[in-house]
């Protein structure tokens, strides 16, 4: 095994967190901001990149960190190492309502492709890189789905899906059409491309975007019902400071009702 062998348990329903049990000298790496809590005896260290090539010298570390810039992530990740003799626990929380998906890379052929902001944490030794598109359509019109992350190795990794998660097993040649933002990830055997929605009415009045992703089997695909960009867009559109209209609480008085019950700010 190149990656550390870790045990884990996932808690919660809508707002989940994963508790990882570390044996002595085992470590896990995580995105900045996902840490929740840890036992004493765990050493926290900020590292360049994903920590998979810390012995490769300065250039290797810079290359590892540089790949993360292209996915819009931080140059640094945080490693949590158990430096004591007994077992210790460290926990990481999901960033918004949804599900935490455990991925055993040894069962996925050593590679899993996921949305660029889906990665939560992984056993140290797992490589977090970028999956470049080799097709022009993806590059020009892929939107959120253009630059995907690839998780490589033989250890455990954890990704986050917003809302409710759907798992689809695609047969050879079977095609699934998905909104690009709703993709969580898929196995490396799945072929991924971008397709034009088509039709004047769909293009002008559809409101669903001009392109969607086509995923062709064989392989496993994970879909999320609530991408963070969709959630943020709805919140931003409804916020009065953004020019949206307050929804109120059902009062026939509308804004006056909000003023009377103290919900309206001055």
């Amino acid at each position: 095994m190149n990656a550390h062998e870790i045990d884990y348990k996932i808690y919660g329903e809508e707002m989940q967190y994963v508790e990882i049990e570390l044996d002595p000298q085992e470590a896990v790496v995580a995105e900045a901001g996902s840490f929740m809590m840890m036992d004493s005896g765990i050493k926290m260290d900020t590292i360049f990149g994903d920590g998979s090539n810390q012995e490769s010298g300065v250039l290797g570390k810079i290359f590892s960190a540089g790949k993360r810039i292209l996915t819009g992530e931080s140059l640094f990740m945080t490693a949590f190492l158990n430096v004591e003799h007994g077992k210790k626990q460290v926990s990481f929380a999901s960033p918004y309502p949804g599900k935490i998906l455990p991925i055993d890379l040894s069962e996925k052929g050593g590679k899993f492709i996921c949305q660029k902001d889906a990665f939560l944490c992984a056993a140290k030794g797992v490589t977090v890189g970028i999956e470049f598109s080799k097709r022009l359509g993806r590059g020009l019109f892929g939107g959120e789905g253009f630059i995907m992350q690839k998780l490589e190795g033989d250890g455990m990794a954890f990704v986050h899906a917003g809302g409710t998660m759907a798992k689809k097993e695609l047969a050879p040649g079977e095609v699934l059409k998905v909104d690009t933002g709703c993709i969580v990830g898929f196995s490396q055997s799945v072929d991924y491309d971008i397709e034009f929605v088509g039709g004047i009415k769909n293009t002008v009045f559809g409101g669903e975007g001009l392109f969607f992703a086509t995923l062709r089997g064989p392989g496993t695909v994970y879909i999320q019902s609530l991408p963070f960009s969709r959630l943020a867009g709805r919140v931003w559109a409804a916020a009065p400071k953004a020019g949206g209209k307050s929804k109120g609480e059902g009062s026939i008085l509308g804004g006056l009702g909000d003023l009377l019950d103290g919900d309206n700010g001055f």
Side-chain angles (χ1 to χ4, degrees):
M1 290 285 291
N2 292 320
H4 294 190
E5 296 185 64
I6 57 175
D7 299 314
Y8 71 93
K9 187 173 182 180
I10 295 175
Y11 294 89
E13 295 298 331
E14 286 77 23
M15 289 294 292
Q16 294 187 327
Y17 73 92
V18 56
E19 180 185 80
I20 296 177
E21 184 177 83
L22 300 176
D23 291 330
Q25 298 306 309
E26 282 186 347
V28 61
V29 295
E31 289 286 6
S34 62
F35 169 70
M36 179 180 172
M37 60 182 175
M38 66 180 179
D39 293 339
S40 62
I42 293 181
K43 179 184 177 182
M44 185 172 64
D45 189 25
T46 300
I47 59 176
F48 269 115
D50 52 34
S52 61
N53 59 347
Q54 292 299 293
E55 305 302 324
S56 60
V58 176
L59 290 178
K61 295 178 182 179
I62 293 175
F63 179 71
S64 174
K67 292 186 298 183
R68 292 174 50 77
I69 297 179
L70 295 177
T71 63
E73 303 293 346
S74 169
L75 277 171
F76 301 93
M77 296 183 75
T78 307
F80 298 82
L81 172 67
N82 181 3
V83 295
E84 293 195 354
H85 298 293
K87 295 178 181 291
K88 300 294 180 179
Q89 285 78 35
V90 57
S91 299
F92 304 95
S94 56
Y96 53 96
K99 301 293 182 182
I100 295 176
L101 173 66
I103 301 291
D104 188 344
L105 292 174
S106 65
E107 298 178 354
K108 301 292 184 182
K111 180 179 178 181
F112 184 79
I113 302 169
C114 65
Q115 190 73 266
K116 64 182 179 65
D117 57 355
F119 174 71
L120 190 65
C121 61
K124 189 172 182 180
V126 170
T127 301
V128 183
I130 55 175
E131 180 74 6
F132 276 117
S133 172
K134 297 179 181 179
R135 297 182 181 176
L136 181 62
R138 295 186 204 169
L140 294 178
F141 309 114
E144 296 171 85
F146 168 41
I147 298 181
M148 306 287 286
Q149 284 189 330
K150 59 180 178 181
L151 308 177
E152 294 180 296
D154 53 7
M156 290 297 304
F158 300 87
V159 298
H160 180 259
T164 301
M165 183 178 63
K167 178 181 178 182
K168 298 289 185 180
E169 296 287 351
L170 300 183
E174 183 179 0
V175 176
L176 183 67
K177 298 181 179 181
V178 186
D179 180 276
T180 56
C182 289
I183 297 174
V184 178
F186 45 86
S187 54
Q188 59 178 317
S189 59
V190 174
D191 184 58
Y192 166 60
D193 204 356
I194 297 296
E195 183 176 320
F196 180 57
V197 172
I200 297 298
K201 288 191 295 183
N202 289 335
T203 301
V204 178
F205 305 111
E208 296 293 343
L210 303 182
F211 302 89
F212 47 66
T214 58
L215 304 171
R216 185 182 301 273
T220 306
V221 177
Y222 297 91
I223 307 297
Q224 59 185 346
S225 66
L226 184 62
F228 179 70
S229 59
R230 186 176 295 179
L231 173 63
R234 288 299 184 95
V235 172
W236 180 256
K241 64 180 180 180
K245 295 182 179 180
S246 176
K247 301 299 183 182
E249 297 178 352
S251 169
I252 60 174
L253 298 177
L256 180 58
D258 289 338
L259 180 64
L260 294 176
D261 67 13
D263 285 347
N264 207 21
F266 290 95

